[in-house]
Amino acid sequence: YSDNLCLMEVKVIDLQFQGRVGVIAAYLVQGRGTHVLIETGPESTREQLLAGLLEHGVRPEELAGVFVTHIHLDHAGAAGWFAEQGVPLFVHEKGSRHLVNPSRLVESARDVYGERFDALWGDMVPASAEFVHPLTDGAVTEIAGLRVEAIATPGHAFHHHAYRIGGALFAGDAAGARLDLTSYTSVTSAPPQFDLDYTLASIKRLRAVAPEILYLTHFGAVPNPLDHLTAYHDAVVMNAEFIRERMSEGFDPASLQVAYEAFQLEQAL
């Protein structure tokens, strides 16, 4: 692909989260003479990420920069380690302080995952502030001969950016999650920040970008991005309406969870 500054090549690195293929991706983007990395995945998969980089002949300290779409552990858990190697980190301005001091982020996740936390995510290394570069909506970073544009896409989280490089769009969790080779797309509605109106507005904004190819962190390249984004918009609306109807019927939280899971299974089948 071309980003009008130089030709680029995108490599998908499967982080094989929990030993499973096609769950969490990181993207190695080759620019002019060097590379940038988009997403690091969790600290628990860092060795797999480093192995993937080496397969493409790249040592971590050679990266020109690392961009994370947001600071959830499955996207940025290993970011601090790269800062320790002297690699600049680029992140939404509202998420930057959590890379510098991840204690609240980690504590909150430990409350959710309990004893499973370490096996799932591993620890998170604090990043030195000098290597953390906060980005605002529309910020353009010229790096490695590439032009990386940050696009504010709240909804999944308020500190979420998608990144556009030429015709390629790296959507993080703003365009849903799907396993490879299936048309079932999961609505990425993680608590506590999920907001329906912002989610739909962000999908509309991504459609307006009209990307040639869309990359999902969960998982892989989507060659027909406008069709995918239209279908994802419809999926978000349908699932939200399902929740509204069950709530109006008086479902308690436990029953609502069971009903929603069954509804997802029905869609998947």
Side-chain angles (χ1 to χ4, degrees), residues 160-200:
H160 193 291
H161 276 147
Y163 294 108
R164 174 167 59 176
I165 308 177
L169 183 64
F170 300 86
D173 280 344
R178 69 169 196 174
L179 299 180
D180 208 9
L181 303 179
T182 174
S183 59
Y184 168 70
T185 301
S186 174
V187 177
T188 45
S189 52
Q193 289 191 343
F194 175 76
D195 184 283
L196 176 61
D197 292 336
Y198 278 114
T199 294
L200 295 176

Side-chain angles (χ1 to χ4, degrees), residues 12-261:
V12 182
I13 299 177
D14 189 335
L15 301 182
Q16 297 183 27
F17 179 66
Q18 298 292 287
R20 298 182 180 182
V21 299
V23 177
I24 302 178
Y27 293 100
L28 182 66
V29 184
Q30 181 177 358
R32 184 178 293 125
T34 185
H35 302 74
V36 299
L37 183 68
I38 299 180
E39 310 284 51
T40 69
E43 177 65 17
S44 61
T45 61
R46 175 167 54 82
E47 292 303 322
Q48 184 65 36
L49 173 57
L50 297 182
L53 291 174
L54 288 176
E55 284 183 10
H56 298 296
V58 179
R59 296 195 302 268
E61 65 273 14
E62 295 174 335
L63 292 168
V66 170
F67 293 78
V68 294
T69 58
H70 58 302
I71 52 89
H72 290 171
L73 296 177
D74 54 333
H75 295 254
W81 185 90
F82 283 88
E84 279 193 330
Q85 317 310 307
V87 181
L89 305 179
F90 298 87
V91 62
H92 194 291
E93 60 179 346
K94 292 181 180 178
S96 59
R97 62 189 177 93
H98 293 289
L99 294 186
V100 175
N101 181 5
S103 57
R104 287 184 60 188
L105 177 65
V106 170
E107 181 182 350
S108 175
R110 283 191 181 279
D111 286 342
V112 173
Y113 293 101
E115 295 180 354
R116 301 170 58 219
F117 176 89
D118 290 313
L120 287 170
W121 312 117
D123 204 358
M124 189 171 184
V125 178
S128 174
E130 66 178 305
F131 291 106
V132 178
H133 300 267
L135 298 176
T136 57
D137 182 28
V140 173
T141 305
E142 294 193 5
I143 185 171
L146 301 167
R147 186 179 186 274
V148 184
E149 180 185 359
I151 302 172
T153 40
H156 174 78
F158 288 115
H159 61 279
H160 193 291
H161 276 147
Y163 294 108
R164 174 167 59 176
I165 308 177
L169 183 64
F170 300 86
D173 280 344
R178 69 169 196 174
L179 299 180
D180 208 9
L181 303 179
T182 174
S183 59
Y184 168 70
T185 301
S186 174
V187 177
T188 45
S189 52
Q193 289 191 343
F194 175 76
D195 184 283
L196 176 61
D197 292 336
Y198 278 114
T199 294
L200 295 176
S202 291
I203 297 169
K204 182 178 180 180
R205 187 172 189 191
L206 293 180
R207 280 185 52 83
V209 169
E212 297 172 20
I213 189 165
L214 180 70
Y215 291 99
L216 305 178
T217 304
H218 316 289
F219 177 91
V222 178
N224 51 342
L226 294 182
D227 290 345
H228 171 88
L229 290 168
T230 298
Y232 184 56
H233 174 280
D234 294 345
V236 172
V237 171
M238 176 181 66
N239 284 282
E241 187 58 32
F242 177 87
I243 293 294
R244 282 199 189 99
E245 290 176 356
R246 302 295 84 73
M247 291 178 69
S248 69
E249 294 167 0
F251 276 51
D252 61 81
S255 299
L256 184 58
Q257 180 176 337
V258 171
Y260 188 67
E261 181 175 347

